Structure formats: C-alpha cells, structure tokens
Amino acid sequence: MLAAMEQREVVKRVIGILTEAREMQRLLEADLEREDLDTGAGAVTALLNETMPHIAIPDNFSVEEVVTVVGREVGGAVEQLVSAFTLAFTMLAQVHDSGQTDVSSADVLQDLALRVEAGGPEDEGDGPVI
C-alpha cells in the first residue's frame, strides 16, 4: 500500500487544480470557440490515484466486510481531499465576503500556497488570507 500523502502536499495539489481551472475559464471566456484546452481531469485523476489507498480484499469476504474495509481505508483519503478543497474554498470565500475587490482569486491561492510551503498552519482562522 502506498504511504499516505502529506496533507500539505494535497493542499498544494488542490491549489494547482483550482489555479488551472481558473486559467481555463479565463481562456474560454476570451475565446468560446477554443477546443485545444485540457479539461484538467488528468490532474484530478492523478491526485485521486496518489491519495487513494490500494485495497486487497480477500475472496471470502462478505459484502458487509468489503463495505467495512473500503469505508475504513478510503474514508481517510476522502477526508484528506475534502479538507484540502474546503480550506481553499474557505480562504477564497473569506476574501470574497470581505468585499476586497483588489485581491484576485489567484492572489488568494498564491498566498495559501506560500503559507503551506512555509509550513504555516493550514487551518488558520485568524482573519483574511491577504
């Protein structure tokens, strides 16, 4: 089984996915006829593949036992992903709700990435990001 991905790495990967999604949206808004954009599914799939555990299920397990094992093994990885997306959303919402029009979503995500890289707490609740 692969070792669990560090939460800071998951947060950085989520920031990358959100940043790519925003850039794709910007490019599409500039040219609705574009067909050359990658949908970003590759980054999401890669993150899922790296965070989800590999589970070996014995042949003799009942359906209930399979559900229990999968729930236990996958639950932590799902919680890790949801936590990272929730953190990013909360930071973006906090700046948006404060009415700061001089701060872009890219600024917020960059600030969050710098905080995570510097080893600061990922769940700071002490005011706006920027």
Side-chain angles (χ1 to χ4, degrees):
M1 183 159 101
L2 296 174
M5 186 181 282
E6 291 289 326
Q7 185 64 20
R8 291 186 193 293
E9 182 61 27
V10 174
V11 171
K12 289 191 291 186
R13 297 281 295 278
V14 164
I15 292 167
I17 289 168
L18 294 173
T19 301
E20 285 180 30
R22 177 60 187 114
E23 180 61 15
M24 280 189 289
Q25 178 188 7
R26 188 189 66 73
L27 291 171
L28 282 172
E29 287 172 355
D31 181 4
L32 293 176
E33 302 299 318
R34 283 189 83 123
E35 295 180 13
D36 63 331
L37 295 178
D38 179 12
T39 62
V44 173
T45 300
L47 180 59
L48 287 172
N49 287 336
E50 292 175 31
T51 56
M52 291 297 151
H54 296 270
I55 305 168
I57 306 289
D59 292 338
N60 63 345
F61 267 31
S62 68
V63 171
E64 292 81 15
E65 290 171 316
V66 170
V67 169
T68 300
V69 169
V70 170
R72 182 182 64 235
E73 296 295 321
V74 174
V78 170
E79 187 175 317
Q80 189 177 35
L81 290 169
V82 169
S83 175
F85 275 102
T86 301
L87 174 64
F89 172 81
T90 300
M91 295 301 200
L92 289 163
Q94 189 176 26
V95 172
H96 174 272
D97 292 350
S98 73
Q100 296 182 42
T101 57
D102 60 333
V103 178
S104 70
S105 59
D107 294 334
V108 174
L109 292 173
Q110 181 180 24
D111 183 67
L112 179 55
L114 291 171
R115 285 180 181 210
V116 170
E117 188 65 32
E122 296 155 16
D123 56 354
E124 289 179 357
D126 58 348
V129 179
I130 298 178

